[in-house]
Amino acid sequence: MDINQRRFCRTALSICIAALLSPAVMAAEEVKENVERIAVTGSNIFKGSANVSSSAPITEISKESIEGVASISIGDVLSRIPSVTAAINGSSDNVSLGGAGSNVGVSTTSLRNLGSARTLVLVNGRRYVSGVSANTGYGVDLNSIPTAIIERVDVLTGGQSAIYGSDAIAGVINIITKKNFEGAEFNAFAADSSEGGAERQNIDFTYGKNFDTGNAWVSAGYANQDVLNSSDRDFSKYEMRFVDTNGDGIRDSIARRDGPGHVDGGSLGYGDLKIFGNGDPFNTNQPLLDANYQPIGESDWDNQHANRTLVTPYQRFNIASGVTFDISEKSTFELELNYAQTQARVDLEEAPIDVVNNIFRRGDGGTTGIDVATSPYFVGSSAGQQLLAVMGGNTSLDGVSTNRRTFEFGNRLTENQRDTFRVAGSYTYYLDNGMDWQTGATYGITSQQQQNSGDFSIPNMQQAVTIEEDGNGGYQCADAIARIYGCLPVNPFGTTDSLAGQAGIVGFSEEAMKYLAVSTGQTAKVEQFVANSVVSGELDFAVGEDNVGFAAGVEYRKESAVENPDSFRQLGITREGPVQPIDGSFDVAEVFGELYVPVVDWLNVSLAARIGNYSTIGTTSTYRLGIDAPIHDMFRVRASQSSSVRAPNINDIFSTGTTSVANPTIDVCNGASNTGTSNTDVNCSSIAAISDRMDTDANGQYILVGSETNNTLVSQSGSPDLKAETADSLTLGFVVTPLDNLSVSLDYYAIEIEDGITTITPDIMVKRCYDADPSTFDATCGGKVSRDVNDGPILNIYSTSINADTISTSGVDLEVAYFLDNFNLNFIANYLGEYEIDTPTGKIDNLGRTLFPEFRYTVNASYDITEDFNLFAQMTYRAETQGVLGETTLSDDLNTMDAVYYVDVRASYQVNDAVNVYIGSNNLLDQQPDIQATSAAVGTNTSPQAYDVIGRQLFAGVKVKF
């Protein structure tokens, strides 16, 4: 008997245990006798479905489902599964600022909405290196795993740390790639949207060959996602604000949100005076939007969405290969290699410049030193005369609002190149006593190079607007040292008729920009090494009729990350915001074991345990108890109880601080009134800078302008004091197979996480801080919030990782599978019964919020009309949700996100034995996204993790086998 025959004939029991515990032995195999396919993700697959025989629910995403939607990223496919939500995708993280810019082009996934760090993504049962910036988070970049090499995906819910180690609190997503491929296959397709934009193309080639003792294959491919600009869709063409039009306190209408001054000329303001730099009046109207989201009226405010991105463009080049061969009759070797290079870019509108607050930091106590009455920027100008007429005795520029887009520097552009390399191998020796001994190792590395443009040096800008006469009838930078380094005067005020303007200083000359313009960037590297060894088989011992199966092994894992921003970013002297370097690592050694006990014909019990020792937090332990009870041929009961852990990762511990721009709605004082009686009104009024502005407002309100709402920075960092978070997970359900071609499974799940590692979200922290009893109110929120000491806007919010949250979620999964001759139907549904987070500042109920719908389901159907002609259809559904639960100032219409159906279809025709052609459509019904009035993703006005932002897409392709 050769090696392969011996492996296939080995009892299902011993292989199940080996698969449950050893990542190195999880591989899909064809069974020639009795068993059709052996399970990959912790279970055998009998009769084509792992879900039917597993002690925990498993959802299988077939290759047909992947091809049916013509996706170039498996992340897009996973997000269609009811238990999965995208964490980062091509529309949710499309900014170039601070740490967030490091993740442009990344796609991550979140099982049970518990986050990418709690969702363990495996490839062929082995860990995969993180592709997320270590300073911002942790998660596998799904864009680095091409769909062309994927055979299927298994989604296993519930705590699985006893089997797979840390990070499997929410469960496991196991991506199974091609194996034992024979022949050659060429595939190419292209897709376009009916409204234009977001085109995508894919081309790949795979070749494999069987030989006497094994198989080898190689696959190479190229994929491209084109850009979709925010201006290309009506719902995202303008950034929105939500206003009360009838004075009842409820915001019921959508209007344009004001940005900084018009890019064609700087704007100046003092009190009610609002003018361009040339003295013309500035139209401060923020018009309402009509039913098609078009403005009803004109405005001179900048449309920030004109240059923003709705879908981030990226390209991927990849090559992958694998080889499996028998070294001898008793040993086998496997090796797989993956390399992918992704290149992504994102545009953001030109950097705004507020000379008073951005350049001279008046909010932090700085001063411009510029007097409107004497400065050559204003003397002789119409703008200067109008300002002096309303300024009274204090003519310092410090009291003037000065806004402009630095359009001469171009859009703020981020370009990321990410290279992911991974090699995994294993050696298996088949012992004479029927046991297997397998040893394997995996090494992965993600390297990143980031380049940013469109920014400028703030200290140099200070020098360039601090000018003096040069003695020749012109002006020069006042600082002699700055002049040596190339400083030339600039005019960000647009006062072309001033003394400076008449001397030719009217904006930013090309020579002056050489001194000011800054290109920033960073390099980064994340590494992962895993080695394990496991023995599996049967013990010469039985509780019932069959022997007890077992597996036992050891595992070592090391993870490290280095991220080096350039000096400009580290010092925070550009408009982008500061980003600090990170350099951290940890390792862990673990021992694990499992028993699989057939008690009686109708009851099997599995026990698993794992003990680990981390270099950062010390010892951890986990366990899992599983019950599989095939009470009847048609009825099976299953249950599992587990205790899982997630050790703090590199980001959690070593992050040194990343800065991002807060949501423009974060300041709860915006709109507060000095006559209001709520805690928020009273607390906001107690701050001198806010109270002063209320006194000058006709309605006694504190109203922020666009430039102020855009300038709040959020700084987040890790903590070395963190400990592991723990979770208790329960699944309980049954599987009914009344017919050979019909199976129904219903499973209840409950997960409760203690000591959850978290940073309190800025919006919740500010809201609750300012809603406190006025007698206990602290305007700094415990030192976490700093405001402009003169005008009041929030400048900075500081947040550090802590062990604080208790997260509880529970629900029910339903799966129905049916096939009849040439028809296959699969129905997957999730009912979310609870999702609650208990934080230090109170409980947060998420059930029914935008990303937490009560119901989600997906239906896949495939029908062979003839032997050569196939139709595939997929429908996904999300129930109605709300942006804000409980009390809100939003109308029901604006607060409600409507239920939505998405329909994808594909028709394929087998022209001959070699050629298959296909056409199809995603979002066939052209469903448009609902407007998200709270916390919309930048450039989208919606929640792209929940809603499709592209619209109807058409695709066509060809597959050739030879």
Side-chain angles (χ1 to χ4, degrees):
M1 181 180 293
D2 66 21
I3 293 297
N4 288 330
Q5 288 175 320
R6 179 180 177 185
R7 184 185 309 162
F8 293 138
C9 293
R10 194 172 301 275
T11 66
L13 179 63
S14 64
I15 298 177
C16 176
I17 298 305
L20 280 169
L21 280 181
S22 174
V25 301
M26 293 180 183
E29 301 179 13
E30 294 298 323
V31 179
K32 299 179 181 178
E33 298 176 11
N34 301 323
V35 182
E36 292 184 9
R37 191 169 63 189
I38 290 174
V40 172
T41 311
S43 172
N44 283 318
I45 298 178
F46 296 103
K47 298 182 180 179
S49 175
N51 188 47
V52 171
S53 58
S54 170
S55 64
I58 295 178
T59 298
E60 180 179 316
I61 304 172
S62 67
K63 187 174 182 63
E64 183 179 47
S65 296
I66 298 171
E67 293 179 341
V69 296
S71 176
I72 61 175
S73 174
I74 191 62
D76 295 334
V77 180
L78 286 171
S79 65
R80 289 168 161 86
I81 303 302
S83 59
V84 178
T85 301
I88 300 175
N89 64 18
S91 298
S92 67
D93 191 32
N94 46 13
V95 296
S96 61
L97 303 179
S102 302
N103 293 324
V104 170
V106 167
S107 172
T108 62
T109 191
S110 172
L111 184 55
R112 302 295 186 204
N113 262 319
L114 291 172
S116 60
R118 299 186 181 106
T119 302
L120 184 59
V121 175
L122 308 172
V123 174
N124 296 325
R126 304 179 176 99
R127 285 180 177 263
Y128 199 89
V129 64
S130 173
V132 173
S133 163
N135 233 340
T136 64
Y138 184 89
V140 171
D141 178 17
L142 299 174
N143 283 343
S144 70
I145 306 173
T147 55
I149 68 171
I150 297 175
E151 188 65 30
R152 77 175 195 277
V153 181
D154 291 342
V155 180
L156 172 62
T157 190
Q160 303 294 329
S161 291
I163 297 173
Y164 298 100
S166 180
D167 307 333
I169 279 182
V172 170
I173 294 176
N174 191 15
I175 299 171
I176 313 301
T177 63
K178 292 178 178 178
K179 190 175 183 181
N180 297 329
F181 189 88
E182 173 74 13
E185 180 178 295
F186 170 82
N187 183 37
F189 67 80
D192 196 2
S193 62
S194 58
E195 294 185 60
E199 300 91 344
R200 66 182 185 273
Q201 305 88 33
N202 181 86
I203 184 170
D204 59 78
F205 177 78
T206 303
Y207 176 77
K209 180 69 175 177
N210 290 322
F211 47 91
D212 290 342
T213 58
N215 173 271
W217 64 273
V218 62
S219 179
Y222 166 79
N224 177 67
Q225 172 67 67
D226 286 342
V227 69
L228 179 62
N229 296 310
S230 300
S231 58
D232 292 336
R233 295 293 184 267
D234 288 341
F235 66 85
S236 58
K237 184 172 293 185
Y238 298 96
E239 188 166 12
M240 298 176 179
R241 68 187 186 102
F242 305 91
V243 297
D244 173 12
T245 56
N246 56 20
D248 63 356
I250 299 297
R251 291 178 288 166
D252 52 14
S253 299
I254 303 174
R256 272 191 56 179
R257 195 176 78 83
D258 57 329
H262 195 291
V263 297
D264 290 339
S267 68
L268 302 166
Y270 190 93
D272 293 332
L273 178 67
K274 195 72 175 181
I275 55 176
F276 281 109
N278 64 4
D280 291 343
F282 187 98
N283 181 3
T284 61
N285 182 35
Q286 298 178 68
L288 294 176
L289 301 183
D290 63 20
N292 296 316
Y293 308 117
Q294 301 305 305
I296 307 172
E298 300 296 325
S299 174
D300 282 331
W301 291 112
D302 178 37
N303 176 22
Q304 299 183 116
H305 277 207
N307 293 311
R308 289 186 176 178
T309 302
L310 191 57
V311 173
T312 300
Y314 76 92
Q315 294 179 323
R316 178 183 62 228
F317 305 87
N318 69 274
I319 185 167
S321 64
V323 61
T324 304
F325 62 90
D326 299 332
I327 298 175
S328 68
E329 291 186 356
K330 293 186 175 183
S331 60
T332 301
F333 179 75
E334 294 184 5
L335 180 70
E336 59 185 58
L337 297 167
N338 303 86
Y339 170 76
Q341 180 186 96
T342 58
Q343 298 176 344
R345 57 172 287 165
V346 68
D347 284 85
L348 202 63
E349 68 275 6
E350 306 96 337
I353 178 174
D354 179 344
V355 173
V356 174
N357 291 305
N358 300 148
I359 305 305
F360 289 96
R361 305 292 174 92
R362 177 176 177 265
D364 293 324
T367 180
T368 63
I370 297 175
D371 189 335
V372 175
T374 60
S375 170
Y377 287 121
F378 297 98
V379 173
S381 71
S382 172
Q385 293 173 5
Q386 293 181 64
L387 286 171
L388 291 174
V390 297
M391 292 181 72
N394 183 0
T395 57
S396 170
L397 185 68
D398 293 357
V400 179
S401 64
T402 56
N403 294 305
R404 187 185 194 274
R405 290 283 180 190
T406 53
F407 60 91
E408 295 91 346
F409 294 83
N411 285 351
R412 286 169 288 177
L413 170 65
T414 287
E415 296 177 292
N416 284 331
Q417 177 175 308
R418 201 171 282 107
D419 295 271
T420 304
F421 173 76
R422 179 176 178 270
V423 56
S426 66
Y427 171 79
T428 304
Y429 186 79
Y430 305 101
L431 303 172
D432 291 335
N433 60 4
M435 296 184 182
D436 297 346
W437 176 24
Q438 187 173 81
T439 299
T442 303
Y443 172 76
I445 180 172
T446 301
S447 301
Q448 182 201 30
Q449 290 184 325
Q450 179 181 342
Q451 295 292 326
N452 308 305
S453 59
D455 210 341
F456 55 84
S457 165
I458 290 176
N460 286 8
M461 188 71 77
Q462 289 180 3
Q463 299 292 348
V465 296
T466 305
I467 62 175
E468 65 180 9
E469 294 181 2
D470 63 3
N472 297 311
Y475 297 91
Q476 63 184 8
C477 298
D479 188 279
I481 301 300
R483 294 199 299 271
I484 293 174
Y485 284 101
C487 180
L488 292 172
V490 298
N491 185 348
F493 308 108
T495 50
T496 56
D497 54 348
S498 65
L499 294 178
Q502 295 172 28
I505 305 172
V506 294
F508 294 81
S509 68
E510 291 187 9
E511 289 300 316
M513 288 175 57
K514 293 179 182 179
Y515 174 72
L516 298 172
V518 168
S519 293
T520 63
Q522 69 179 34
T523 59
K525 180 173 64 175
V526 180
E527 290 184 277
Q528 180 187 77
F529 174 74
V530 184
N532 53 37
S533 186
V534 61
V535 175
S536 63
E538 294 182 9
L539 298 174
D540 189 16
F541 171 76
V543 174
E545 293 183 1
D546 296 323
N547 286 344
V548 172
F550 88 101
V554 295
E555 182 170 285
Y556 172 80
R557 175 164 56 99
K558 181 175 182 178
E559 304 211 16
S560 61
V562 176
E563 200 162 281
N564 291 310
D566 62 65
S567 57
F568 290 107
R569 304 184 93 202
Q570 292 186 39
L571 292 172
I573 59 175
T574 67
R575 283 291 287 121
E576 179 186 348
V579 178
Q580 301 304 315
I582 180 175
D583 187 351
S585 66
F586 71 86
D587 62 1
V588 54
E590 298 177 296
V591 295
F592 56 85
E594 179 164 344
L595 293 176
Y596 184 88
V597 184
V599 180
V600 291
D601 288 344
W602 55 268
L603 179 62
N604 303 303
V605 176
S606 60
L607 301 167
R610 180 178 287 249
I611 299 174
N613 184 265
Y614 285 80
S615 60
T616 49
I617 60 170
T619 302
T620 63
S621 61
T622 63
Y623 74 87
R624 182 181 185 274
L625 168 65
I627 295 175
D628 172 30
I631 297 172
H632 188 272
D633 289 344
M634 294 188 298
F635 186 74
R636 176 185 299 269
V637 176
R638 59 189 179 190
S640 67
Q641 173 69 50
S642 64
S643 173
S644 299
V645 299
R646 183 177 81 84
N649 55 45
I650 291 174
N651 167 256
D652 296 326
I653 297 177
F654 298 104
S655 176
T656 51
T658 59
T659 300
S660 57
V661 178
N663 188 284
T665 62
I666 198 168
D667 193 345
V668 295
C669 290
N670 190 13
S673 168
N674 56 14
T675 60
T677 58
S678 70
N679 286 344
T680 299
D681 286 318
V682 174
N683 290 331
C684 292
S685 299
S686 70
I687 300 172
I690 294 177
S691 178
D692 290 344
R693 283 180 61 169
M694 288 177 171
D695 291 340
T696 61
D697 183 81
N699 298 314
Q701 289 183 295
Y702 175 69
I703 304 296
L704 296 174
V705 299
S707 58
E708 292 176 323
T709 59
N710 280 334
N711 286 335
T712 300
L713 300 180
V714 178
S715 300
Q716 295 180 314
S717 61
S719 171
D721 298 325
L722 293 174
K723 60 182 179 180
E725 57 183 29
T726 60
D728 290 322
S729 300
L730 170 69
T731 63
L732 177 63
F734 61 86
V735 181
V736 180
T737 53
L739 303 171
D740 289 341
N741 59 348
L742 174 65
S743 67
V744 180
S745 67
L746 186 70
D747 294 273
Y748 167 81
Y749 68 89
I751 303 172
E752 182 170 300
I753 301 172
E754 299 284 350
D755 296 321
I757 299 172
T758 185
T759 55
I760 301 175
T761 57
D763 57 336
I764 292 174
M765 182 181 71
V766 172
K767 180 179 179 181
R768 290 186 170 167
C769 170
Y770 278 75
D771 193 35
D773 189 295
S775 64
T776 63
F777 174 62
D778 172 12
T780 70
C781 304
K784 299 185 185 308
V785 174
S786 66
R787 286 184 175 273
D788 184 320
V789 296
N790 296 293
D791 296 321
I794 297 177
L795 298 178
N796 291 285
I797 299 175
Y798 303 94
S799 182
T800 302
S801 296
I802 56 174
N803 286 103
D805 285 355
T806 297
I807 304 173
S808 302
T809 183
S810 61
V812 176
D813 291 324
L814 171 67
E815 184 166 348
V816 179
Y818 174 77
F819 68 91
L820 179 64
D821 298 329
N822 54 355
F823 177 71
N824 287 275
L825 179 70
N826 183 242
F827 175 82
I828 309 168
N830 172 255
Y831 166 74
L832 182 62
E834 175 192 24
Y835 198 112
E836 189 175 82
I837 306 176
D838 193 355
T839 76
T841 56
K843 289 188 176 182
I844 304 171
D845 186 6
N846 282 320
L847 179 60
R849 290 182 63 194
T850 306
L851 297 182
F852 303 84
E854 191 173 10
F855 291 101
R856 288 179 64 186
Y857 64 76
T858 299
V859 182
N860 293 315
S862 177
Y863 179 56
D864 293 326
I865 297 177
T866 68
E867 290 185 357
D868 300 322
F869 186 29
N870 172 265
L871 290 178
F872 171 85
Q874 179 182 85
M875 183 179 71
T876 57
Y877 168 79
R878 299 180 64 90
E880 178 183 286
T881 57
Q882 292 183 310
V884 178
L885 299 180
E887 186 178 349
T888 178
T889 60
L890 291 167
S891 67
D892 288 342
D893 182 55
L894 291 178
N895 190 47
T896 300
M897 309 286 283
D898 292 337
V900 63
Y901 289 92
Y902 292 113
V903 176
D904 307 311
V905 295
R906 178 181 186 266
S908 63
Y909 181 71
Q910 194 70 37
V911 179
N912 53 42
D913 290 342
V915 179
N916 180 278
V917 295
Y918 54 92
I919 59 172
S921 174
N922 302 125
N923 192 358
L924 178 66
L925 304 180
D926 197 24
Q927 294 289 306
Q928 298 297 299
D930 223 343
I931 299 302
Q932 176 76 58
T934 57
S935 303
V938 172
T940 70
N941 290 323
T942 189
S943 291
Q945 296 100 323
Y947 295 93
D948 172 55
V949 298
I950 299 175
R952 182 186 297 113
Q953 304 149 67
L954 305 175
F955 62 85
V958 60
K959 181 186 293 186
V960 181
K961 294 184 178 181
F962 48 90

